[in-house]
């Protein structure tokens, strides 16, 4: 069964596995040894992949913010180049020169496309033999530096995204493994506990949310906001 990679979902599994491990020690009805060993391994792996996923999400956010700042800077530099060329060239040659710099049309909004426009403008500078057809030297330097910085940042962003996709897959597999050990432990406990699927000890393990209130029956209730056990919104089967 697939699980959404949301913070609530992987935090749920992290909390549940910790609760199951605590109940194994303190409830008086421990899990079978192989189940306990698997529970420990799955929980360690889950926490490792959660930490990696969160760390990469932070890197992605930081890289995206820096790339956004460089994108704004790149747009500003290209506009300055266009204005300087307009101030230096007569009207009869200006359109052709702007076309060489690819500044004869609106700037693109996508970062990758803007990076391409910065590259073309840099190449255009080197193609000009007349100084009047080039922006001032300080602006040439700013154009080159901005292109290189944005190029480096976008390359880094692509690398982070690739790592993040792998982390997503690992986290997905860890949540599937957590769901599996949850189901196997639930099946085992139903088989050994006196009350079966209705035994209150299942609440200690985090495998039941609450029991129905019946006359003459002691009722145990846990937090109503607690996640259900099976799937996204179903409680475990009582059969």
């Amino acid at each position: 069964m697939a699980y959404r990679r949301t913070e609530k979902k992987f935090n749920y599994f992290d909390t549940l596995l910790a609760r199951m491990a605590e109940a194994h020690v303190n409830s008086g009805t421990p899990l079978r040894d192989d189940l306990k060993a698997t529970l420990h391994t799955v929980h360690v792996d889950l926490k490792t992949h959660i930490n990696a996923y969160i760390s990469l999400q932070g890197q992605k956010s930081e890289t995206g913010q820096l790339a956004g700042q460089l994108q704004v800077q790149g747009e500003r530099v290209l506009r300055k180049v266009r204005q300087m060329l307009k101030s230096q060239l007569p009207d009869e040659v200006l359109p052709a020169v702007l076309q060489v710099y690819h500044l004869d049309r609106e700037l693109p909004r996508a970062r990758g496309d803007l990076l391409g426009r910065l590259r073309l403008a840099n190449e255009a500078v080197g193609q000009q033999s007349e100084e009047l057809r080039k922006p001032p030297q300080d602006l040439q330097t700013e154009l080159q530096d901005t292109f290189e910085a944005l190029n480096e940042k976008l390359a880094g962003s692509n690398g982070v995204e690739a790592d993040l996709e792998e982390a997503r897959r690992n986290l997905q597999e860890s949540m599937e493994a957590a769901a599996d050990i949850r189901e196997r432990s639930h099946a085992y406990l139903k088989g050994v506990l006196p009350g079966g699927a209705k035994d209150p000890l299942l609440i200690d393990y985090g495998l039941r949310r609450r029991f129905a209130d019946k006359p003459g029956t002691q009722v145990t209730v846990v937090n109503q906001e607690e996640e259900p056990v099976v799937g996204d919104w179903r409680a475990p089967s009582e059969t």
Side-chain angles (χ1 to χ4, degrees):
M1 179 176 294
Y3 290 88
R4 297 185 300 275
R5 289 181 296 269
T6 63
E7 183 174 349
K8 183 178 181 182
K9 186 60 65 178
F10 59 66
N11 281 344
Y12 157 64
F13 280 118
D14 185 20
T15 301
L16 173 67
L17 296 183
R19 183 171 177 176
M20 290 173 65
E22 182 180 359
H24 168 80
V25 174
N26 299 322
S27 68
T29 304
L31 295 171
R32 201 171 58 225
D33 288 347
D34 64 304
L35 294 175
K36 176 56 176 66
T38 301
L39 174 66
H40 175 73
T41 299
V42 168
H43 197 193
V44 170
D45 287 346
L46 177 66
K47 291 180 77 68
T48 297
H49 294 315
I50 287 174
N51 291 336
Y53 178 74
I54 291 175
S55 175
L56 286 167
Q57 284 279 38
Q59 292 180 40
K60 178 182 178 180
S61 177
E62 180 181 358
T63 301
Q65 290 176 5
L66 293 174
Q69 294 170 8
L70 287 170
Q71 180 180 8
V72 172
Q73 181 178 331
E75 292 172 350
R76 183 174 62 251
V77 169
L78 288 173
R79 291 192 183 98
K80 286 168 64 176
V81 170
R82 181 161 51 195
Q83 292 303 318
M84 292 305 298
L85 291 173
K86 285 183 176 181
S87 73
Q88 296 170 186
L89 296 170
D91 290 343
E92 58 268 23
V93 300
L94 178 62
V97 173
L98 290 179
Q99 189 172 12
V100 171
Y101 279 85
H102 295 266
L103 294 175
D104 55 327
R105 54 191 184 277
E106 291 297 319
L107 298 179
R109 299 180 63 85
R111 288 174 189 169
D113 293 339
L114 184 72
L115 178 66
R117 196 70 68 85
L118 287 166
R119 177 180 58 81
L120 292 170
N122 269 289
E123 292 174 353
V125 172
Q127 295 168 359
Q128 306 308 310
S129 57
E130 299 179 24
E131 288 302 315
L132 284 179
R133 292 172 178 253
K134 300 179 183 180
Q137 185 59 52
D138 60 338
L139 192 51
Q140 294 180 37
T141 300
E142 186 178 0
L143 179 64
Q144 179 69 28
D145 290 347
T146 302
F147 165 71
E148 292 176 353
L150 183 57
N151 186 46
E152 179 181 359
K153 193 58 62 179
L154 290 185
S157 179
N158 291 336
V160 170
E161 187 58 48
D163 292 341
L164 185 57
E165 183 56 35
E166 181 180 0
R168 288 189 185 103
R169 290 194 297 269
N170 291 336
L171 185 53
Q172 179 72 37
E173 292 173 0
S174 290
M175 289 192 291
E176 296 288 353
D180 180 68
I181 190 60
R182 178 188 63 182
E183 297 308 311
R184 291 171 57 199
S185 299
H186 183 244
Y188 170 75
L189 290 169
K190 285 195 299 183
V192 300
L193 291 174
K198 298 183 181 297
D199 198 293
L201 197 59
L202 289 173
I203 292 179
D204 293 343
Y205 271 92
L207 300 177
R208 281 295 301 262
R209 295 205 320 179
R210 65 180 179 83
F211 292 96
D213 189 1
K214 298 180 180 179
T217 302
Q218 183 177 0
V219 179
T220 306
V221 180
V222 297
N223 188 343
Q224 294 299 299
E225 296 181 356
E226 180 181 312
E227 287 265 0
V229 175
V230 178
D232 285 342
W233 299 107
R234 294 196 296 273
S237 170
E238 298 187 3
T239 59

